[in-house]
Every structure is written in structure tokens, then in C-alpha cells.
Amino acid sequence: MTTTLRPRARGGTPVLPAPPSGSPALPVPGRRPGPGHASPSRPGRDRFLDVLRLLVMVLVVLQHWWFPVLGDGPRGLSTDSVLSVPGASAMTWVSQVMPLIFFVGGAANLISRRSASSGGVAPTTWVARRLRRLAWPVVPLAAVWLAATHLLALGGVPEQPVAVAAGAAGIVLWFLAVYVLVVVATPVLLPLQDRFGWRVAAGLFAGAAAVDLTRFATGVDGFGYANVVFVWLGVHQLGLLYGAGALRPRRAGALAAGGAVAVTALMLTGQYSPNMTGVFAMEASNAGPPTLVLAALGAVQVGAAVLLRRWITAWADRPGPARVLDGVCPKLMTVYLWHMLPVSLVAGVQVYVFGVDTPEPLTAAWLGWGLAGTAALLPLTAALACLTARFETPPAPLRGAPGTLRALAAAALVGGGLGVLVAAGLGTGWTPVLGMGAVVAGLLFTRGAHGVRAVDFPRPWHVVWPGTVRAR
């Protein structure tokens, strides 16, 4: 009979993953893990990863406010981007930090999966739990946005600005859609890493290079979307290596240096955009679709972060920063999902109530406007996070141990539904409703089948998911 482990509510979130409470501490890079070995942070928590989560979230929220250029034009809300200004794309080399969160996710997934495996939890059950934590918070978010946009439409509010806000809120969900793939792949990648080590990450990055070569040789940009798999799983694999204690300072230095050389060489080819993010971008970027340049930038970020780990951890373990991290990090999933609501509200008031368009980008007026908006956003976002953080924990009925087919069906429905919401936005019409319905259906599939003993199918599962824990 399969043993079920229930992670505590203060465990890691899917969007900004953290090891569950009570888990063994992550190994310290540069040392071989051994009996009794613990992280400098308190047991079960690596504050280095908490700092990276917080850094990513701060930069994500700030760029969603600072990058759009909005105005009330004759045809409704006019939209542009700061990145359309010559040279402004240089900012994206700092603001594009999503590789770091996939790295953090890899470390968190390793410790979570191994902890569950040691307790006899099958891969399907582990995947189901991660999917619940990933998808459940989207349900109330989508419900609020869909209800609000329909009510605004019925109230006579102009459709175009509402559609812009709802579309931006939907695009934020791209990360969750990709992270479904990461969750499903983790039980496959872990045993591969145990056997082949760094060669797994190298193989994924080689796949990204092959995709780029095919894309540029054929001129078909659609081929580039295969790098959603290779780029993001490659950076995630670096997190698995970190969690296993294989990413030590010397190797981290080599990773950062190699990534910097690769970025420089690739940019000199002239094939790649200087823009590293697709956030309100008005042109092609290295994020849509992901490219080998983005993977190389991720290698630089991860290597540099690990080299600085000792100092980051020493600062984060001080009482003041530790209290801040402990209070904020459990709400970062909520902030990520809901922050576009206050961003849209402040932008709408600015443009339609006060009649203030975004000033000319990269000017003193633009800087003052951005700081004023940021000051208004902080309390609104904090208050909203406190109100909606309750939605991070799935309700009790979403429990159980599904078998292989139900777990894979749940992943397909959740990932597909999130993809629909990304493409259609969280606005009016039937398409967003269908996307939300697919997410809800996927959540229901994560439960065990009623009246059926939910276990993995032993033989086929070993082919697809190495490292299965058999039911006892």
C-alpha cells in the first residue's frame, strides 16, 4: 500500500518552489553531503534560494510596471514599450531573471521528490500534489478576472483597455504552463542525473543549440518553440545538480565563465535579438521563443549566484532579513499571480482618471512617474497578497493518489488549460472559460479514482518514469 505524505502548508509553492517543511536540508555546494551534514540555514530551508525567489519576484513586478508605455489615444488605450527606445534592451539583461527561478525549482523539486520517495510515495502521487499546488491558486484568480471583465463590459466600460489588462494578466500564467512540464519531467530527470551527472544538462543545452540551428537554417521561427523544453529543462537541471551538491564553487565559476563566452560568441553572430525578455516587447526577443542565448545567460546567473552563496546566506541568516524572508516568501506565489490586478488598477486610474499618459521613456519625468506608481503599487500588492494567500493551499477534497493515466491526464489538462489562458487572456468570451474549465478538470484528475485502488502500473511505468517506488 502506498504511503501518503502530506506536505505542510508552509512548504514551497509551485511558482516559487521551496523544499517542504521537515525535509532534509539541501547540501552545501562545495562539500560532499554526508551523515549529519546540514545547510548553514535552519534545517529544511536554504535561505540562499529564498533570496533568489524574492529577487526574481521584485524584478518581475517592477518590470510589469516600468516597461509598458500607456496613453489615452483617439482609438482607445495606446500601448507601447520602453524597450522600443534604442538601447533600452540593455535593461533586459538585468531584468530577465526567470532562469534563476527554474534553477530554484530544480533544487526544490529534487529535495521534495527524494523526501517523498524515501517515504514510499509513488511518482504519480508526487506529481499530483505538485500539480494541485500549481493549479489550484489559478482557479480563484481566473474567476475574479473573468467575473470582473464581464461585469465591466455589461457596465459599459470600453472593451479595449479591459482587454489589454486581461491579456496581460493571462500572459503571466506562461510560467505555470511551462512548470507543468518541469514537474512531469522531474521523476525522469532525477535518475538520469544520478547516472549521467552533468551530461544531462549538457545534452539539454546541446538540444537547444540544435533547435536554434534548425530555426535559423529554415527561417521557420515556429521551430524555436521546441526550446521551451530544452532551455527551461536545462536550467532546471542545474538546480537538480545544486540540490545534489554537484554544483560547487569551482564548477560554478566555470559555468559562469562558459556562459559569458557563449553569450558573447552568439551575439556576435548577429542572429539573436539584444532583447532578453518578452515582457511588453514590441519586437522579437530571446524569450519568445527561448533561445540558446537565454540558456547561456541563465548559466551566467546561476554560476554567479552560487559563487556568491556564502555571502548571500550569511546575510539572509541574520535575524532581520530572516524574519522578512520567512514572512514574505510563503506569499510569493500569490504576489506573482495577483500583482497584475493592482498594476492594471493604478495604470487605469493614472490614464483615465487623472489623464496622465506615460512620460517619454528614460527621461527624468518618466523616472518620477515610475517611482510614484511603484509607491502606490507596494501597499496595494501587499494588501491583496494578504487577502488572497489563503488560496495557495488546495482544499481537502483535492487529495488522493491517482494512477499513471490519471496523473498524465491531469498534467495535460492543467498545462493545456493554462496555455489557453495565456493565449486568450482572462477576459470576456468563451475561450477563457474553456481554459479555466480544463484547469479545473485537471485538478479533479489529480484525485484518486473513487472505488479504485489507485496505484502505479508497475511495468509500463518503469519504462516511462525511472526510479518508481512500488506500492507496498
Side-chain angles (χ1 to χ4, degrees):
M1 183 174 181
T2 304
T3 303
T4 301
L5 297 180
R6 295 178 182 172
R8 298 179 187 174
R10 59 185 287 256
T13 61
V15 127
L16 300 167
S21 299
S23 306
L26 288 170
V28 178
R31 298 183 189 172
R32 295 185 180 276
H37 174 72
S39 168
S41 303
R42 63 190 177 92
R45 196 172 192 96
D46 188 340
R47 294 198 193 280
F48 165 68
L49 299 180
D50 284 345
V51 172
L52 296 186
R53 291 186 195 98
L54 184 57
L55 170 66
V56 170
M57 183 50 52
V58 168
L59 289 177
V60 165
V61 174
L62 288 179
Q63 65 186 307
H64 286 171
W65 171 252
W66 286 80
F67 281 6
V69 176
L70 307 176
D72 186 11
R75 298 184 179 179
L77 183 69
S78 63
T79 58
D80 201 344
S81 171
V82 169
L83 302 181
S84 62
V85 177
S89 58
M91 294 189 297
T92 66
W93 289 74
V94 176
S95 66
Q96 173 56 280
V97 286
M98 292 310 291
L100 283 178
I101 209 60
F102 279 94
F103 164 74
V104 171
N109 283 336
L110 177 138
I111 197 70
S112 173
R113 175 63 201 133
R114 287 191 171 167
S115 175
S117 180
S118 66
V121 177
T124 47
T125 305
W126 181 84
V127 167
R129 292 174 181 173
R130 300 298 269 188
L131 288 176
R132 290 168 199 153
R133 291 296 304 272
L134 186 73
W136 167 247
V138 176
V139 175
L141 172 78
V144 168
W145 270 99
L146 294 180
T149 53
H150 281 85
L151 288 174
L152 289 173
L154 291 173
V157 175
E159 180 182 353
Q160 190 253 359
V162 174
V164 170
I171 289 175
V172 169
L173 300 178
W174 77 265
F175 172 75
L176 302 191
V178 176
Y179 207 77
V180 170
L181 169 67
V182 168
V183 167
V184 174
T186 295
V188 178
L189 294 173
L190 271 175
L192 289 177
Q193 176 190 273
D194 291 340
R195 183 173 181 180
F196 299 109
W198 280 84
R199 285 174 286 181
V200 180
L204 289 167
F205 290 137
V211 168
D212 277 5
L213 286 172
T214 303
R215 174 188 174 189
F216 296 138
T218 61
V220 180
D221 287 341
F223 283 131
Y225 286 95
N227 270 342
V228 169
V229 175
F230 292 111
V231 169
W232 295 125
L233 284 184
V235 180
H236 177 265
Q237 195 70 22
L238 297 179
L240 296 182
L241 289 164
Y242 169 85
L247 188 52
R248 299 170 188 144
R250 181 176 297 178
R251 290 180 176 176
L255 181 67
V261 170
V263 166
T264 303
L266 290 168
M267 292 304 299
L268 288 175
T269 66
Q271 294 284 350
Y272 294 92
S273 166
N275 182 15
M276 294 303 301
T277 179
V279 176
F280 302 107
M282 298 292 112
E283 58 176 25
S285 75
N286 288 292
T291 67
L292 187 60
V293 169
L294 183 57
L297 178 65
V300 174
Q301 293 175 346
V302 170
V306 173
L307 286 174
L308 295 173
R309 182 186 187 279
R310 179 190 304 175
W311 293 276
I312 292 173
T313 302
W315 173 81
D317 278 339
R318 295 170 62 182
R323 283 194 296 270
V324 172
L325 291 170
D326 289 346
V328 172
C329 284
K331 296 182 177 66
L332 289 181
M333 167 72 155
T334 300
V335 172
Y336 180 83
L337 290 176
W338 290 86
H339 75 276
M340 286 306 301
L341 193 59
V343 166
S344 300
L345 178 62
V346 172
V349 169
Q350 163 204 309
V351 173
Y352 291 107
V353 175
F354 295 112
V356 178
D357 296 346
T358 305
E360 185 68 25
L362 306 184
T363 62
W366 174 79
L367 181 62
W369 161 89
L371 292 173
T374 302
L377 279 174
L378 288 177
L380 288 175
T381 304
L384 185 61
C386 290
L387 288 173
T388 56
R390 68 191 71 183
F391 299 129
E392 284 205 26
T393 304
L398 291 179
R399 292 179 182 171
T404 306
L405 296 180
R406 291 177 66 87
L408 294 177
L413 285 166
V414 170
L418 289 171
V420 170
L421 293 176
V422 171
L426 298 176
T428 57
W430 283 104
T431 304
V433 175
L434 292 175
M436 181 180 174
V439 172
V440 172
L443 280 168
L444 295 177
F445 268 92
T446 66
R447 302 172 60 195
H450 294 292
V452 178
R453 186 167 177 261
V455 297
D456 291 316
F457 298 110
R459 293 189 181 277
W461 190 258
H462 275 283
V463 176
V464 182
W465 296 70
T468 296
V469 178
R470 290 182 182 273
R472 292 195 285 268

